[in-house]
Amino acid sequence: MGRILNIVFLAAIAIATMLQSSSARTTYVVGDALGWLVPPGPAVYTIWAANKTFRVGDTLVFNFATGAHSVARVTRANYDACNAASPLFLLSESPATVTLDETGDYYFLCAFPGHCSLGQKFAINVSAAA
């Protein structure tokens, strides 16, 4: 009887561990220590995002000076044109937190004039949760 209980207990722990690891969410601080600002080069945020795997349920945290920057999620066409006139959403208070709630492409830029064209933008692809 004791052996059966041990096996059941170990199986329960294994299942709980698998469930916990499959529902793990990652929080990404955009730009890491740099934060969300006009970058020192045009590809800084693209390079930052390139080596990461984003999944549904992950969170992006944008740290910036409130009143000096913003976070706009835009369409691909508006991203390519650095146009924030009709964003899908616009966040202007820092820290701004975005939960990635669906699969697909996400496009972010700063809506302040000129910031996007100086490289304050990036695009990511979000995969299904593991």
Side-chain angles (χ1 to χ4, degrees), residues 75-84 109 116-117 121:
T75 64
R76 168 77 187 258
N78 284 342
Y79 176 83
D80 290 340
C82 280
N83 180 358
L109 55 82
C116 175
S117 62
K121 67 179 192 171

Side-chain angles (χ1 to χ4, degrees), residues 21-118:
S21 66
S22 69
S23 65
R25 306 290 188 236
T26 302
T27 298
Y28 295 98
V29 176
V30 175
D32 296 323
L34 179 65
W36 181 241
L37 49 74
V38 175
V44 168
Y45 294 110
T46 300
I47 293 167
W48 171 83
N51 66 353
K52 293 168 179 53
T53 301
F54 300 96
R55 300 201 179 276
V56 170
D58 289 348
T59 303
L60 302 177
V61 177
F62 294 79
N63 293 315
F64 56 91
T66 298
H69 302 284
S70 63
V71 178
R73 181 175 177 203
V74 297
T75 64
R76 168 77 187 258
N78 284 342
Y79 176 83
D80 290 340
C82 280
N83 180 358
S86 56
L88 301 172
F89 65 72
L90 178 67
L91 304 171
S92 56
E93 298 289 323
S94 181
T97 302
V98 175
T99 299
L100 305 173
D101 57 1
E102 61 187 7
T103 60
D105 296 324
Y106 285 66
Y107 302 94
F108 297 100
L109 55 82
C110 179
F112 277 64
H115 291 198
C116 175
S117 62
L118 292 172

